Amino acid sequence: MDLQWLVPLGGFLTTVVGAGIAWLVNRADKRKDAREAQVIQTLKDRVAELQAQLTALTKKLSRRTRAGDKWREQLIAHQIDPEPAEWPEDDDE
């Protein structure tokens, strides 16, 4: 083959191979972005779940503290020492 065919053929092949490589890289980037978005959404859901759990535990602790304070005040009002020798185990959990 002479040079007038080799140069255009080489240019065409280079263009086709380059476009194929660019398409593959773009496809990989899209997959990576989709995975990142999925991980971010999963983490956001987990954070929301943990915040809800924290709120519930905080409310539960607040109720227990208020109930314990009322119990203590009643014992003190009746001249009873509110500090027992042994504390009972907590069975709520």
Side-chain angles (χ1 to χ4, degrees), residues 8 64 74 78:
R64 284 186 177 182
Q74 289 175 0
H78 291 93

Side-chain angles (χ1 to χ4, degrees), residues 17-85:
V17 170
I21 291 172
W23 180 78
L24 288 173
V25 168
N26 189 24
R27 183 176 172 199
D29 285 346
K30 286 181 182 178
R31 283 185 178 175
K32 184 178 118 183
D33 291 343
R35 282 192 307 264
E36 286 177 356
Q38 185 179 16
V39 167
I40 288 170
Q41 186 59 43
T42 302
L43 291 175
K44 285 181 180 179
D45 293 344
R46 180 69 176 143
V47 166
E49 177 185 322
L50 290 174
Q51 285 177 339
Q53 187 178 5
L54 178 64
T55 302
L57 289 174
T58 302
K59 287 180 182 179
K60 184 177 181 180
L61 178 62
S62 178
R63 282 193 309 269
R64 284 186 177 182
T65 302
R66 285 194 311 268
D69 289 345
K70 289 178 184 177
W71 171 79
R72 184 179 177 85
E73 290 170 6
Q74 289 175 0
L75 290 176
I76 291 173
H78 291 93
Q79 289 82 31
I80 300 173
D81 183 21
E83 299 296 330

Side-chain angles (χ1 to χ4, degrees), residues 1-13:
M1 293 186 134
D2 60 7
L3 201 53
Q4 78 183 42
W5 289 100
L6 286 178
V7 171
L9 181 63
F12 174 74
L13 290 176

